[in-house]
Amino acid sequence: MATRFDPRLTPARPDLAAAHLRGKVEAARFVEGAEQQVIAGIAPLRKEPAHDAPLLTEALHGERITTYETDEEGWAWGQLESDNYVGWIPAAALLEPGPAPTHRVAALRTLVFPGPSIKLPPTEALPFGATVAVEREQDGFAVTAAGGYLPRPHLAPLASHESDFVAVAERFVGTPYLWGGKSSLGVDCSGLVQVALAACGIPCPRDSDMQEGTLGKPANLAGLQAGDLIFWKGHVAIARGRNSLIHANAFHMAVTIEPVAEALTRIGATGSQVTGVRRLK
């Protein structure tokens, strides 16, 4: 009996697959792939190689990806190292890996300047969770290996972690809802959970069904605690305690805090019931 692989996490198509899957999947050819690094602030990972294709997730600056094909239109097909998601990403957003990252962006977003002055026009913006390789400090700036100058207070050492992922999620209140989004410019429900947990050094899969299946241990609504994850089919929220929760949702089209009872009633009215509660601690 053939093994079934989740297509979201498996770099395999009928015409092409990763070499390490030889003998496990059927494909016309197998390739080793090349490791690359995201150099754009935020890069879309799409279902198909087209700008209007559905957004699966986003890759943040500094992330590594193994690419297996680049087409003539400038799209690369590959698998992200951080959460193993597979999709199409603009090849222009990638380069061969540079120095290993040393710091992450700890502000909701920051600006990169071409020199040690805030009066210079920024060259790019980086989102919360993006990583950079810092070589030195100068005049209150962290200077990256690529020559960018970032405000030092906006960065944290890569080895340091936030202590409260609920508090991290709360910083995103008001952020627009974006299917597949992972930044303060736009985020979806599972993206908010993933970004908040990653800031605390907790590995987290991308989609809500994966999160429900792998994170923490079972809990229940009656005994909700801060940090519990509440799941519906295709949706996840973070409990702030017994009475309120925070989630990115399409009803408000934003990251919002609302009473647990109100959210349960509103979502239940659409025919969707809670499928589970998971406790990480």
Side-chain angles (χ1 to χ4, degrees), residues 68-259:
Y68 297 97
E69 178 187 42
T70 300
D71 70 11
E72 295 180 352
E73 301 299 318
W75 289 91
W77 183 71
Q79 183 174 36
L80 293 175
E81 181 181 287
S82 59
D83 59 17
N84 296 319
Y85 224 101
V86 175
W88 292 90
I89 190 170
L94 308 175
L95 275 182
E96 291 185 5
T102 60
H103 290 71
R104 59 181 175 80
V105 176
L108 272 184
R109 50 194 172 275
T110 191
L111 299 173
V112 182
F113 297 91
S117 171
I118 59 173
K119 295 182 179 180
L120 295 171
T123 57
E124 61 180 325
L126 299 183
F128 181 87
T131 56
V132 294
V134 174
E135 289 193 335
R136 58 188 175 88
E137 295 186 19
Q138 179 182 343
D139 302 328
F141 289 88
V143 186
T144 70
Y149 288 71
L150 288 81
R152 185 63 187 84
H154 288 181
L155 299 180
L158 204 60
S160 69
H161 300 299
E162 302 273 356
S163 60
D164 183 352
F165 82 89
V166 180
V168 174
E170 289 172 346
R171 297 180 207 167
F172 285 79
V173 168
T175 295
Y177 180 84
L178 173 65
W179 182 277
K182 279 179 55 176
S183 82
S184 62
L185 295 178
V187 68
D188 65 12
C189 64
S190 55
L192 179 66
V193 171
Q194 187 186 50
V195 168
L197 287 177
C200 296
I202 303 172
C204 177
R206 180 58 178 90
D207 294 343
S208 61
D209 63 320
M210 301 176 187
Q211 294 170 355
E212 184 175 8
T214 61
L215 294 176
K217 59 184 180 181
N220 57 69
L221 288 171
L224 273 183
Q225 297 180 8
D228 286 351
L229 301 178
I230 309 169
F231 291 93
W232 295 258
K233 182 177 175 58
H235 188 58
V236 59
I238 304 169
R240 300 173 67 244
R242 294 186 62 181
N243 299 316
S244 67
L245 55 76
I246 180 171
H247 57 159
N249 64 93
F251 179 80
H252 296 99
M253 285 305 296
V255 176
T256 54
I257 292 173
E258 61 179 319

